[in-house]
Amino acid sequence: MKVAKFGGSSLANATQIKKVGEIIKSDPERKFIVVSAPGKRDQADTKMTDLLIQMGDSYINGLQYEDDFLRIMDRFAEITEELNLSNELLNEFESTIKTVLTKDQIITDKLDAIKAIGEDSSAKIVSAYLQSLGLDAHYINPLDAGIIVSDEPGNAQILPGSLAKIYSLHQKDGILVIPGFFGYTEQGKLATFSRGGSDITGSIIAAGVKAELYENFTDVNSVYSVNPNIVENPKEITILTYKEMRELSYAGFSVFHDEALIPVIKEKIPICIKNTNNPDAQGTYIVSEREVKEDECVSGIASDTGFCSLYVSKYLMNREIGFGRKLLGILEDEGISFEHAPSGIDDMSVIIRERNFPPAKEAIVLNRIKEELHADTVSLHRGIAIIMVVGEGLVNTIGVANKAISALAEARVNIEMINQGSSEVSMMFGIQSSDIDRAIKSIYRAYFEKNN
Amino acid sequence: MKVAKFGGSSLANATQIKKVGEIIKSDPERKFIVVSAPGKRDQADTKMTDLLIQMGDSYINGLQYEDDFLRIMDRFAEITEELNLSNELLNEFESTIKTVLTKDQIITDKLDAIKAIGEDSSAKIVSAYLQSLGLDAHYINPLDAGIIVSDEPGNAQILPGSLAKIYSLHQKDGILVIPGFFGYTEQGKLATFSRGGSDITGSIIAAGVKAELYENFTDVNSVYSVNPNIVENPKEITILTYKEMRELSYAGFSVFHDEALIPVIKEKIPICIKNTNNPDAQGTYIVSEREVKEDECVSGIASDTGFCSLYVSKYLMNREIGFGRKLLGILEDEGISFEHAPSGIDDMSVIIRERNFPPAKEAIVLNRIKEELHADTVSLHRGIAIIMVVGEGLVNTIGVANKAISALAEARVNIEMINQGSSEVSMMFGIQSSDIDRAIKSIYRAYFEKNN
């Protein structure tokens, strides 16, 4: 039994939804379907969820909202008409939107209720469309599905007891189509997950029903081994472990919301990323464990800019018990969260995302470290980029670090930081942001193109 | 004006002391002389300080001590006779030893008083010998020199106010010979520094008198760029910064007691390590700052065994605020001090000296981390060796990491850990202890022998 989740691009218009119908029809194991709201039809388009938020904000602030309302209804109409679905569906959407906007006594946060309309309508459309294909499909509301969440509008968390209830979905006949992105509190109040939350719903359902596979349909054939904006036609990744995926996500691979996967990871359910537009392509599997071939120890190379490095040195630092703790305490005090804190003997560097270290705090923090910790030197270097070389085979392969570091030397890139060995599946490099494309191209060549 | 400190091997017998006399005589700038106790005359010999401790322990425990007493007096007699010094000196030593051993009302810790006899006698011998050469030399007791310390027998610390008093030594005429290793408390009680404490006295005197140079005479021509037991005839280091010396000391270079240098470092006084047996050799200078030639960015390669690595992984660790702090808190709780704690995204490694992590604690600590932090994996790897590649030029030299890492790959050494960039003057590698000789030889070749 599989859970198949379809993202916004797979539901953007009737043509896409027809592909979704084909995919579901082609495999009777696809019993649990989770859907996003309609996404962009082309680059210039606006996602349904953004239209809904815009309309909701305007309404709440007493501004003109009718144009957005018409745009929303037009999009729904375009879809239902092309799919030859009954007008009742469209009337239902219209009345839902009007109720949510105008009803004052509603217990749910108004914006949450508005946002959820996108996914909810998508699920109703897909369910009706599957029925029109002769399939035994049913729309299931998240409340009926058992998705019980905490009372945090826009950031709801699944409650631990929910999964057992969800398992009982097995008792229902046919294909069940469930809207993503929201659940209900124990008081029956609708609450949405954080943005991208349809992945969360898919993951919860997959874990709850103990699916054999969680299929995540999107608009790419697979996860690429490197950013395709930097390297042309990069190698497709066929299999990754959860850990590899996590490390790649950290440095810019936007495959998934990390938190979204916790439920499936706990249950060790394999995930498959597939392309709605090319469902025969193999896709990328994300699994708990995998076999590693010796000459393919690296799976992917991720990179991200926007880091800075805080450098502190003090003679005999390593004899001073608690120095590191005090240093990190000052950062915590000032509300600055950090990424890593590698230390030397008398030196320590703290890697921080630049967005978490506002320039206004710079002088304060540097001064506090100097004064309170009697540091010899304190300095901040901005404009750092991080490269993550990720692979399950890294830890025991001789010479694997050598390839990346030789590649950086060949590309004349100065390495500001190497952090290897703290993770068993990755090596981390810090370089100047301006060198990032050259660096990534050279490392990619070393692992994926050279015959060595 | 220079401070010259002579170590135990430079004072082991009359022949050595004659060399010391020549050295002092040859340079009128050598006004302040600090001496250790007589050291070993050959490999099988016992240091004077060890004889004194042995005798003192025996006396305190009511055991036979007379043989040691005779051995001690014999060594002093051999020295004074060969130097043609008066018998009065020998009688003075004998009466000092007897007084210290038998006097019950002495306020000083008895063992401290016994240990100090070695250095004190050395200073009296050297002073008398210099006088016999016609030099205006004077023995100065540490109390008169102004070395006022905390009341911690065997681990005395210089008191902050002392340095100003020491500066007034300039008012005394002639060459001043000061015993190393001990000072006096404000109550006039003798107290010794930690072992190797003659370096501490030398450093305090150099800082106090604001010397131009602190000369440290020992039995090697210089500091070597790598352990000569691993690499034959390694390159001699002519100049090092304090920071480089510190990093090399951390991983096995036993040049100096780290704490010993704090006073000279604060005053930025250059240090020179010289050979009593070959005083014309250039020696190694240790300075605050130095010029770095581009092709000589590495100064030395140090290595040390006896480390272990505690590895902890947990999905979404980097989203969990305070995870690292809690982990290190458990170690602190269990009395385990750590060296470094590099972190990945969902992983953290803690590098600990094996002697600080008793096997009896292993199960307790691993279990606490697993239970209290809900870690996914916890493991401990013993038998790790650390290599430090040290040099002021490291931070901005492209390809410098590449050389070491290529060398390790060539030698088929698996790298367990790389920590580069947290220190501006070093790179740290973790490998298996069994690979250490092969690794060091290969890295040495890469930086010091290859024509690249």
Side-chain angles (χ1 to χ4, degrees):
Chain A
M1 211 67 84
K2 300 175 183 174
V3 171
K5 181 250 161 184
F6 294 90
S9 62
S10 305
L11 300 150
N13 57 30
T15 315
Q16 290 301 93
I17 295 172
K18 284 176 184 168
K19 292 179 189 167
V20 169
E22 274 307 305
I23 289 166
I24 295 169
K25 207 174 154 186
S26 70
D27 185 349
E29 290 294 312
R30 290 177 178 135
K31 181 182 167 69
F32 305 97
I33 311 300
V34 175
V35 295
S36 294
K40 291 184 184 183
R41 289 161 294 188
D42 53 56
Q43 283 284 6
D45 201 11
T46 307
K47 289 181 183 180
M48 179 63 84
T49 304
D50 290 323
L51 287 177
L52 288 162
I53 292 172
Q54 203 171 295
M55 177 187 69
D57 278 342
S58 298
Y59 185 89
I60 291 164
N61 294 308
L63 302 172
Q64 203 270 2
Y65 70 95
E66 289 82 359
D67 284 356
D68 286 325
F69 172 74
L70 291 177
R71 249 179 105 183
I72 290 164
M73 287 313 301
D74 274 356
R75 277 206 67 181
F76 281 135
E78 185 190 296
I79 293 171
T80 53
E81 278 162 28
E82 267 193 64
L83 293 174
N84 292 319
L85 303 180
S86 92
N87 260 339
E88 266 174 53
L89 209 54
L90 212 55
N91 295 339
E92 190 186 330
F93 296 164
E94 182 169 346
S95 100
T96 304
I97 294 174
K98 287 190 171 158
T99 310
V100 166
L101 282 182
T102 56
K103 206 168 169 187
D104 277 341
Q105 299 305 320
I106 194 167
I107 62 163
T108 298
D109 177 90
K110 198 185 280 289
L111 203 58
D112 260 27
I114 294 169
K115 284 194 288 187
I117 291 169
E119 276 72 11
D120 201 56
S121 309
S122 256
K124 286 174 177 159
I125 291 168
V126 169
S127 162
Y129 175 65
L130 293 175
Q131 286 165 10
S132 78
L133 297 178
L135 293 168
D136 178 23
H138 308 275
Y139 161 84
I140 303 280
N141 184 276
L143 186 62
D144 300 324
I147 300 178
I148 309 304
V149 299
S150 65
D151 190 359
E152 297 167 83
N155 191 31
Q157 308 289 323
I158 186 81
L159 296 185
S162 295
L163 296 190
K165 168 94 197 282
I166 292 168
Y167 187 78
S168 66
L169 286 177
H170 277 289
Q171 292 160 11
K172 291 191 198 283
D173 288 331
I175 297 165
L176 311 181
V177 185
I178 306 157
F181 192 38
F182 66 99
Y184 286 85
T185 69
E186 284 177 321
Q187 289 71 41
K189 194 168 145 183
L190 182 155
T192 62
F193 297 124
S194 55
R195 197 77 201 251
S198 290
D199 282 340
I200 301 180
T201 303
S203 179
I204 290 169
I205 297 290
V209 303
K210 297 192 191 295
E212 280 154 37
L213 183 64
Y214 171 34
E215 291 180 315
N216 201 294
F217 282 89
T218 172
D219 54 0
V220 290
N221 278 348
S222 68
V223 178
Y224 293 108
S225 53
V226 70
N227 184 343
N229 296 325
I230 300 179
V231 175
E232 264 181 73
N233 297 319
K235 187 168 174 274
E236 295 181 355
I237 299 178
T238 55
I239 187 160
L240 273 180
T241 63
Y242 300 140
K243 280 176 99 173
E244 289 175 311
M245 191 272 312
R246 244 303 267 173
E247 306 261 347
L248 291 168
S249 297
Y250 174 78
F253 272 40
S254 55
V255 183
F256 273 115
H257 240 231
D258 297 326
E259 281 98 345
L261 293 189
I262 296 176
V264 282
I265 287 177
K266 278 195 180 152
E267 297 289 331
K268 296 193 178 175
I269 293 167
I271 303 159
C272 186
I273 301 196
K274 286 185 81 78
N275 190 350
T276 298
N277 305 313
N278 183 15
D280 293 334
Q282 190 183 5
T284 300
Y285 279 81
I286 307 174
V287 299
S288 163
E289 281 173 38
R290 71 178 181 92
E291 233 182 289
V292 180
K293 290 186 206 153
E294 210 191 322
D295 55 339
E296 292 181 353
C297 57
V298 169
S299 299
I301 301 156
S303 55
D304 204 4
T305 55
F307 292 86
C308 60
S309 164
L310 176 68
Y311 172 77
V312 181
S313 81
K314 182 179 182 184
Y315 190 70
L316 291 186
M317 184 192 288
N318 85 328
R319 298 283 176 92
E320 193 174 327
I321 290 167
F323 186 92
R325 183 171 43 75
K326 285 177 225 155
L327 173 58
L328 300 178
I330 289 176
L331 293 175
E332 205 173 322
D333 246 25
E334 299 292 342
I336 295 161
S337 69
F338 72 98
E339 303 293 308
H340 308 284
S343 62
I345 315 306
D346 290 346
D347 317 68
M348 191 165 168
S349 291
V350 188
I351 312 297
I352 302 165
R353 286 197 191 259
E354 291 202 84
R355 63 165 186 263
N356 295 332
F357 198 163
K361 286 270 182 192
E362 194 172 316
I364 300 166
V365 168
L366 267 57
N367 214 41
R368 283 194 61 183
I369 294 170
K370 190 115 190 144
E371 295 297 316
E372 294 172 27
L373 304 182
H374 308 286
D376 297 334
T377 346
V378 188
S379 56
L380 185 73
H381 309 272
R382 294 193 176 266
I384 306 278
I386 295 284
I387 299 173
M388 302 281 299
V389 176
V390 176
E392 285 281 343
L394 283 185
V395 74
N396 284 316
T397 311
I398 289 175
V400 68
N402 189 28
K403 272 195 193 175
I405 292 161
S406 301
L408 289 171
E410 260 175 48
R412 306 294 301 157
V413 171
N414 193 32
I415 304 174
E416 308 263 333
M417 179 197 80
I418 306 174
N419 179 0
Q420 192 246 305
S422 50
S423 162
E424 292 189 339
V425 301
S426 73
M427 295 184 289
M428 193 189 302
F429 300 96
I431 64 167
Q432 288 294 326
S433 291
S434 48
D435 292 336
I436 193 74
D437 282 19
R438 212 163 77 242
I440 289 290
K441 279 178 186 160
S442 186
I443 294 179
Y444 180 81
R445 262 198 311 276
Y447 287 107
F448 292 100
E449 288 179 358
K450 282 189 183 164
N451 254 346
N452 50 9
Chain B
M1 210 67 82
K2 298 174 183 173
V3 171
K5 182 250 162 185
F6 293 89
S9 63
S10 306
L11 300 150
N13 58 29
T15 316
Q16 290 302 94
I17 295 171
K18 284 176 184 167
K19 293 178 189 167
V20 170
E22 275 306 304
I23 289 166
I24 295 169
K25 206 174 155 185
S26 69
D27 185 350
E29 291 294 312
R30 292 180 177 131
K31 180 183 167 68
F32 305 97
I33 312 300
V34 174
V35 294
S36 294
K40 291 184 184 184
R41 288 160 297 186
D42 53 56
Q43 283 283 6
D45 201 11
T46 308
K47 290 180 182 179
M48 180 61 86
T49 305
D50 290 322
L51 287 177
L52 287 162
I53 292 171
Q54 204 171 296
M55 178 187 69
D57 278 341
S58 299
Y59 185 89
I60 290 164
N61 294 308
L63 302 172
Q64 203 270 3
Y65 71 93
E66 289 82 0
D67 284 357
D68 286 326
F69 172 74
L70 291 176
R71 251 179 104 182
I72 290 164
M73 287 313 301
D74 273 357
R75 278 204 68 178
F76 281 135
E78 188 189 296
I79 293 171
T80 53
E81 277 161 30
E82 269 193 64
L83 294 174
N84 291 321
L85 303 179
S86 94
N87 260 338
E88 264 175 54
L89 208 54
L90 212 54
N91 295 338
E92 188 186 332
F93 297 163
E94 184 169 342
S95 101
T96 304
I97 295 174
K98 287 188 171 161
T99 310
V100 167
L101 282 181
T102 57
K103 205 171 173 184
D104 278 340
Q105 298 307 322
I106 193 167
I107 60 162
T108 298
D109 177 88
K110 198 185 279 288
L111 204 58
D112 260 28
I114 294 168
K115 285 193 288 186
I117 292 170
E119 277 73 10
D120 201 55
S121 309
S122 257
K124 286 172 177 161
I125 291 168
V126 169
S127 161
Y129 175 65
L130 293 175
Q131 285 165 11
S132 77
L133 297 178
L135 293 168
D136 179 23
H138 309 274
Y139 160 85
I140 302 280
N141 184 277
L143 186 63
D144 301 323
I147 302 179
I148 309 304
V149 299
S150 64
D151 190 358
E152 297 167 81
N155 191 30
Q157 308 288 327
I158 187 79
L159 296 185
S162 295
L163 297 190
K165 169 91 196 285
I166 292 169
Y167 188 78
S168 66
L169 285 177
H170 279 287
Q171 292 161 11
K172 293 192 197 282
D173 287 332
I175 297 165
L176 311 181
V177 186
I178 305 156
F181 192 36
F182 66 99
Y184 286 84
T185 68
E186 283 176 322
Q187 288 71 40
K189 195 168 145 183
L190 182 155
T192 62
F193 297 125
S194 55
R195 197 77 201 253
S198 291
D199 282 341
I200 301 179
T201 304
S203 179
I204 290 168
I205 297 290
V209 303
K210 300 192 188 294
E212 279 155 34
L213 183 64
Y214 171 34
E215 290 180 316
N216 201 293
F217 282 89
T218 173
D219 55 0
V220 290
N221 278 350
S222 67
V223 178
Y224 292 108
S225 54
V226 71
N227 184 344
N229 297 323
I230 299 180
V231 175
E232 266 182 72
N233 297 318
K235 187 168 175 272
E236 296 181 354
I237 299 178
T238 54
I239 188 161
L240 273 179
T241 63
Y242 301 139
K243 280 176 100 173
E244 289 176 311
M245 192 272 313
R246 244 302 269 173
E247 306 260 348
L248 291 167
S249 297
Y250 173 79
F253 272 40
S254 54
V255 184
F256 274 114
H257 241 231
D258 297 326
E259 280 98 345
L261 294 189
I262 298 175
V264 280
I265 287 177
K266 278 195 181 151
E267 296 289 331
K268 296 193 178 175
I269 293 167
I271 303 159
C272 186
I273 301 197
K274 287 185 80 78
N275 191 351
T276 298
N277 305 313
N278 184 15
D280 294 334
Q282 191 183 3
T284 300
Y285 280 81
I286 307 173
V287 298
S288 161
E289 280 173 40
R290 69 178 182 93
E291 233 181 288
V292 181
K293 290 185 205 151
E294 209 191 323
D295 55 341
E296 292 181 354
C297 56
V298 169
S299 300
I301 301 156
S303 55
D304 205 1
T305 55
F307 291 87
C308 60
S309 163
L310 176 68
Y311 172 77
V312 181
S313 81
K314 182 179 182 182
Y315 190 71
L316 292 186
M317 185 192 287
N318 86 327
R319 297 283 176 93
E320 192 174 327
I321 289 167
F323 186 93
R325 183 171 43 75
K326 284 178 226 156
L327 174 59
L328 300 178
I330 290 176
L331 293 175
E332 206 172 323
D333 247 24
E334 299 292 340
I336 295 161
S337 69
F338 72 97
E339 303 292 308
H340 308 284
S343 63
I345 313 308
D346 290 346
D347 317 68
M348 191 163 167
S349 292
V350 187
I351 312 297
I352 302 166
R353 287 199 191 258
E354 291 202 83
R355 64 165 186 263
N356 295 334
F357 197 163
K361 286 271 183 193
E362 193 172 317
I364 301 165
V365 168
L366 267 58
N367 214 41
R368 282 193 63 183
I369 294 169
K370 189 113 189 145
E371 295 296 315
E372 294 171 28
L373 304 182
H374 309 285
D376 298 334
T377 345
V378 187
S379 57
L380 185 73
H381 308 274
R382 293 193 176 267
I384 306 277
I386 295 282
I387 300 174
M388 302 281 302
V389 176
V390 176
E392 285 281 344
L394 283 185
V395 74
N396 284 318
T397 311
I398 289 174
V400 69
N402 189 27
K403 272 195 192 177
I405 291 159
S406 301
L408 289 170
E410 259 175 48
R412 306 294 300 156
V413 172
N414 193 32
I415 305 173
E416 309 262 331
M417 180 198 81
I418 307 174
N419 179 359
Q420 192 246 306
S422 49
S423 162
E424 293 189 340
V425 300
S426 74
M427 294 183 290
M428 193 189 303
F429 301 96
I431 64 167
Q432 286 296 323
S433 291
S434 48
D435 292 337
I436 192 75
D437 283 19
R438 212 164 74 243
I440 290 290
K441 280 177 186 160
S442 186
I443 293 179
Y444 181 81
R445 262 198 310 276
Y447 287 108
F448 293 100
E449 289 179 359
K450 282 189 182 163
N451 253 347
N452 50 7

Coordinates of all heavy atoms in Angstrom, one line a residue, chain A residues 355-382:
Chain A
R355 N 22.0 35.9 8.2 CA 20.6 36.5 8.6 C 20.4 36.4 10.1 O 19.5 37.1 10.6 CB 19.5 35.7 7.8 CG 19.4 34.3 8.1 CD 18.1 33.7 7.6 NE 18.0 32.3 8.0 CZ 18.3 31.2 7.3 NH1 18.7 31.4 6.1 NH2 18.1 30.0 7.8
N356 N 21.1 35.5 10.8 CA 21.0 35.4 12.2 C 21.9 36.3 13.0 O 21.9 36.3 14.2 CB 21.2 34.0 12.7 CG 20.1 33.0 12.1 OD1 19.0 33.4 11.9 ND2 20.5 31.8 12.0
F357 N 22.8 37.1 12.3 CA 23.7 37.9 13.0 C 23.6 39.3 12.4 O 24.4 39.7 11.6 CB 25.1 37.4 12.8 CG 26.1 38.0 13.8 CD1 27.4 37.3 14.0 CD2 25.9 39.1 14.5 CE1 28.3 37.8 14.9 CE2 26.8 39.6 15.4 CZ 28.0 39.0 15.6
P358 N 22.6 40.1 12.8 CA 22.4 41.4 12.2 C 23.6 42.3 12.5 O 24.2 42.3 13.6 CB 21.1 41.9 13.0 CG 20.9 41.0 14.1 CD 21.6 39.8 13.9
P359 N 23.9 43.1 11.5 CA 25.1 44.0 11.6 C 25.0 44.9 12.9 O 26.1 45.2 13.5 CB 25.1 44.9 10.3 CG 24.3 44.0 9.3 CD 23.3 43.2 10.1
A360 N 23.8 45.2 13.3 CA 23.7 46.1 14.5 C 24.2 45.4 15.7 O 24.6 46.1 16.7 CB 22.2 46.4 14.7
K361 N 24.2 44.1 15.7 CA 24.7 43.3 16.9 C 26.2 43.2 16.9 O 26.8 42.7 17.9 CB 24.1 41.9 16.9 CG 22.6 41.9 17.3 CD 22.4 41.8 18.8 CE 21.0 41.7 19.2 NZ 20.8 41.9 20.6
E362 N 26.8 43.4 15.8 CA 28.2 43.1 15.6 C 29.2 43.7 16.6 O 29.9 43.0 17.3 CB 28.7 43.5 14.2 CG 30.0 42.9 13.7 CD 30.3 43.1 12.3 OE1 29.4 43.0 11.4 OE2 31.4 43.4 12.0
A363 N 29.1 45.0 16.8 CA 30.0 45.7 17.7 C 29.7 45.2 19.1 O 30.7 45.0 19.9 CB 29.8 47.2 17.6
I364 N 28.5 45.0 19.5 CA 28.1 44.6 20.8 C 28.7 43.3 21.2 O 29.4 43.1 22.2 CB 26.6 44.5 21.0 CG1 25.9 45.9 20.7 CG2 26.2 44.0 22.4 CD1 24.4 45.8 20.5
V365 N 28.5 42.3 20.3 CA 29.0 40.9 20.5 C 30.5 40.9 20.6 O 31.1 40.3 21.5 CB 28.5 40.0 19.4 CG1 29.2 38.6 19.5 CG2 26.9 39.8 19.6
L366 N 31.2 41.5 19.6 CA 32.6 41.5 19.5 C 33.2 42.1 20.8 O 34.2 41.6 21.4 CB 33.2 42.2 18.3 CG 33.4 41.3 17.1 CD1 32.2 40.5 16.7 CD2 34.0 42.0 15.9
N367 N 32.6 43.2 21.3 CA 33.1 43.9 22.5 C 32.9 43.0 23.7 O 33.7 42.9 24.6 CB 32.3 45.2 22.6 CG 33.2 46.2 23.2 OD1 34.4 46.3 22.9 ND2 32.6 47.0 24.1
R368 N 31.7 42.4 23.8 CA 31.4 41.5 25.0 C 32.4 40.4 25.1 O 33.0 40.1 26.1 CB 30.0 41.0 24.9 CG 28.9 42.0 25.3 CD 27.6 41.3 25.6 NE 27.7 40.3 26.7 CZ 26.7 39.6 27.1 NH1 25.5 39.6 26.5 NH2 26.8 38.7 28.1
I369 N 32.7 39.8 23.9 CA 33.7 38.7 23.9 C 35.1 39.2 24.4 O 35.8 38.5 25.2 CB 33.8 38.0 22.5 CG1 32.4 37.4 22.2 CG2 34.9 37.0 22.5 CD1 32.3 36.9 20.8
K370 N 35.5 40.3 23.8 CA 36.8 40.9 24.2 C 36.8 41.2 25.7 O 37.8 40.9 26.4 CB 36.9 42.2 23.3 CG 38.3 42.7 23.4 CD 39.0 42.7 22.0 CE 40.5 43.1 22.2 NZ 41.4 42.4 21.4
E371 N 35.8 41.9 26.2 CA 35.8 42.3 27.6 C 35.6 41.2 28.6 O 36.3 41.1 29.5 CB 34.7 43.4 27.8 CG 34.9 44.7 27.0 CD 36.2 45.4 27.4 OE1 36.4 45.5 28.6 OE2 37.0 45.8 26.5
E372 N 34.5 40.4 28.3 CA 34.1 39.5 29.3 C 35.0 38.2 29.3 O 35.2 37.6 30.4 CB 32.6 39.1 29.1 CG 31.7 40.2 29.4 CD 30.3 39.9 29.0 OE1 29.8 38.8 29.0 OE2 29.5 40.9 28.6
L373 N 35.5 37.9 28.2 CA 36.3 36.6 28.1 C 37.8 37.0 28.0 O 38.6 36.1 27.9 CB 35.9 35.8 26.9 CG 34.4 35.4 26.9 CD1 34.1 34.5 25.7 CD2 34.0 34.7 28.2
H374 N 38.2 38.2 28.0 CA 39.6 38.7 27.9 C 40.2 38.0 26.7 O 41.4 37.5 26.8 CB 40.3 38.3 29.2 CG 39.6 38.9 30.4 ND1 39.6 40.2 30.7 CD2 38.9 38.3 31.3 CE1 38.9 40.4 31.8 NE2 38.4 39.2 32.2
A375 N 39.5 37.9 25.6 CA 40.1 37.3 24.4 C 41.2 38.1 23.8 O 41.3 39.4 24.0 CB 39.0 37.1 23.3
D376 N 42.2 37.5 23.2 CA 43.3 38.2 22.6 C 42.9 38.9 21.3 O 43.2 40.0 21.0 CB 44.5 37.3 22.3 CG 45.1 36.7 23.6 OD1 45.0 37.3 24.7 OD2 45.7 35.6 23.5
T377 N 42.2 38.1 20.4 CA 41.7 38.6 19.2 C 40.2 38.2 19.0 O 39.9 37.0 19.3 CB 42.4 38.0 17.9 OG1 43.6 37.3 18.4 CG2 42.7 39.0 16.9
V378 N 39.4 39.0 18.4 CA 38.1 38.7 18.0 C 37.8 39.4 16.7 O 38.1 40.5 16.5 CB 37.0 39.3 19.0 CG1 35.6 38.8 18.7 CG2 37.4 39.0 20.5
S379 N 37.3 38.6 15.7 CA 37.0 39.2 14.4 C 35.9 38.4 13.8 O 35.6 37.3 14.1 CB 38.2 39.2 13.5 OG 38.7 37.9 13.4
L380 N 35.2 39.1 12.8 CA 34.1 38.5 12.1 C 34.3 38.6 10.6 O 34.7 39.7 10.1 CB 32.8 39.3 12.5 CG 31.5 38.7 11.9 CD1 31.1 37.4 12.7 CD2 30.3 39.7 12.0
H381 N 34.2 37.5 10.0 CA 34.4 37.4 8.5 C 33.0 37.1 7.9 O 32.5 36.0 8.1 CB 35.4 36.4 8.1 CG 36.6 36.5 8.9 ND1 37.7 37.3 8.5 CD2 37.0 35.9 10.1 CE1 38.6 37.2 9.4 NE2 38.3 36.4 10.4
R382 N 32.5 38.0 7.1 CA 31.2 37.8 6.4 C 31.5 37.2 5.0 O 32.6 37.1 4.6 CB 30.4 39.1 6.3 CG 30.0 39.6 7.7 CD 28.9 40.7 7.7 NE 28.5 41.0 9.0 CZ 27.4 40.5 9.6 NH1 26.6 39.6 9.0 NH2 27.0 40.9 10.8

